[in-house]
Amino acid sequence: MNSIKTTLASLALLALPAAAIAANGDWSFSIKGGVVDAVGGDVHRGPNFDGSVLLGLEPGSLPVDVDAKSFDDVYGSLMTLALEASYQQSENLSYFLGLSRLSSDEGVLRVGTVADSLPLNGEFSDYEDVGLYGGVRYHFTNQSNWQPFVSAQIGLKDVDEITASFSVPDVTFVDPYQAALTNAPFYDGGTVFSYGVGFGLDYRISEGGTLSIETGIYSQEAIDDNDSVLDVLALGALNDEGDLDYMPLTLRYTFSF
């Protein structure tokens, strides 16, 4: 993913002088950031399985119940930061191209129950993606400094791999399962398609500056799962999810050139 980040950063640097030399004030540059709430999509499903092999017990003697967990359960609110270049086609219509980053710290939570009473805990690595997107905004212009708008966008995201560690407090799994279930591959990550619609409100604070608040509903395709460890426990279907729907709440400051 480092090569993609470098490429995106280079595109951002190249966009700045292009915007600066554009004529007639048609171009603008924006920076925006905010919080993102996951509203749909699961990190993993909730199967039940026989965990006796984890402790070297007789088959069928250690039931494990796993609860389905969503992105909201695992990561809570994520953070987003983006840079945009916009072209004002007309009084009402503008086009934009952006670079974005969506991230959250690692998620640690109880994901199930072992032997009807013991907690099964999961620890998932940080979530991070870098995206390139483009879209269109329609501005409902009026005589006021406050101007509402709607938008639509599509794009591509490069998502980091996600690993998971599973444990039971004060219990050590037998080899090789203890090591295998520590930082186990869970999602390979990779490139996914993204899309969404937004709406918000612009406030013109100066001739060359606008402050905007925006929300909407956005989605991205499922990231590729990694079953290299889970298949050993016949749990290859556990991570057959990975799609994400989310609602951001962002502030955007726009400089007009």
Side-chain angles (χ1 to χ4, degrees):
M1 181 169 167
N2 287 334
S3 61
I4 293 181
K5 288 182 178 178
T6 301
T7 301
L8 294 178
S10 299
L11 288 173
L13 292 175
L14 290 173
L16 292 177
I21 64 175
N24 301 325
D26 288 334
W27 285 90
S28 61
F29 177 73
S30 304
I31 182 170
K32 70 176 182 179
V35 296
V36 174
D37 288 329
V39 296
D42 284 342
V43 174
H44 64 73
R45 295 178 175 179
N48 302 328
F49 70 100
D50 176 22
S52 56
V53 66
L54 299 176
L55 296 180
L57 303 176
E58 291 293 325
S61 61
L62 191 67
V64 178
D65 300 324
V66 180
D67 303 322
K69 294 298 179 182
S70 67
F71 273 88
D72 182 55
D73 293 328
V74 174
Y75 291 111
S77 292
L78 298 91
M79 302 297 295
T80 186
L81 182 66
L83 301 174
E84 285 185 5
S86 301
Y87 178 75
Q88 193 73 32
Q89 175 68 31
S90 66
E91 183 180 19
N92 298 100
L93 194 64
S94 65
Y95 301 99
F96 58 90
L97 179 67
L99 302 169
S100 66
R101 178 178 182 267
L102 182 63
S103 62
S104 179
D105 292 337
E106 64 182 12
V108 181
L109 71 164
R110 178 170 175 168
V111 298
T113 304
V114 177
D116 300 322
S117 61
L118 297 175
L120 175 65
N121 296 329
E123 181 176 347
F124 298 85
S125 60
D126 297 352
Y127 178 89
E128 182 174 355
D129 70 47
V130 174
L132 174 65
Y133 63 91
V136 58
R137 287 193 183 93
Y138 183 85
H139 309 262
F140 299 92
T141 57
N142 53 54
Q143 299 303 313
S144 169
N145 286 333
W146 296 94
Q147 296 186 348
F149 64 87
V150 294
S151 65
Q153 70 179 55
I154 59 173
L156 293 173
K157 289 187 172 189
D158 193 76
V159 187
D160 271 1
E161 68 177 359
I162 295 175
T163 62
S165 298
F166 297 98
S167 62
V168 177
D170 302 320
V171 174
T172 301
F173 301 144
V174 298
D175 290 331
Y177 300 106
Q178 182 66 41
L181 292 176
T182 302
N183 295 322
F186 206 73
Y187 285 110
D188 279 333
T191 303
V192 298
F193 180 64
S194 64
Y195 52 93
V197 294
F199 58 92
L201 191 64
D202 289 338
Y203 177 66
R204 187 178 293 112
I205 58 178
S206 67
E207 183 178 353
T210 302
L211 187 65
S212 308
I213 185 169
E214 185 173 6
T215 186
I217 181 69
Y218 298 84
S219 300
Q220 63 190 57
E221 291 181 315
I223 48 182
D224 292 335
D225 58 329
N226 187 321
D227 296 332
S228 58
V229 170
L230 297 179
D231 270 346
V232 176
L233 297 173
L235 287 174
L238 177 66
N239 55 349
D240 289 350
E241 296 291 339
D243 56 323
L244 173 61
D245 302 319
Y246 57 93
M247 291 184 66
L249 180 62
T250 60
L251 288 175
R252 173 168 48 90
Y253 185 68
T254 302
F255 306 86
S256 296
F257 296 96

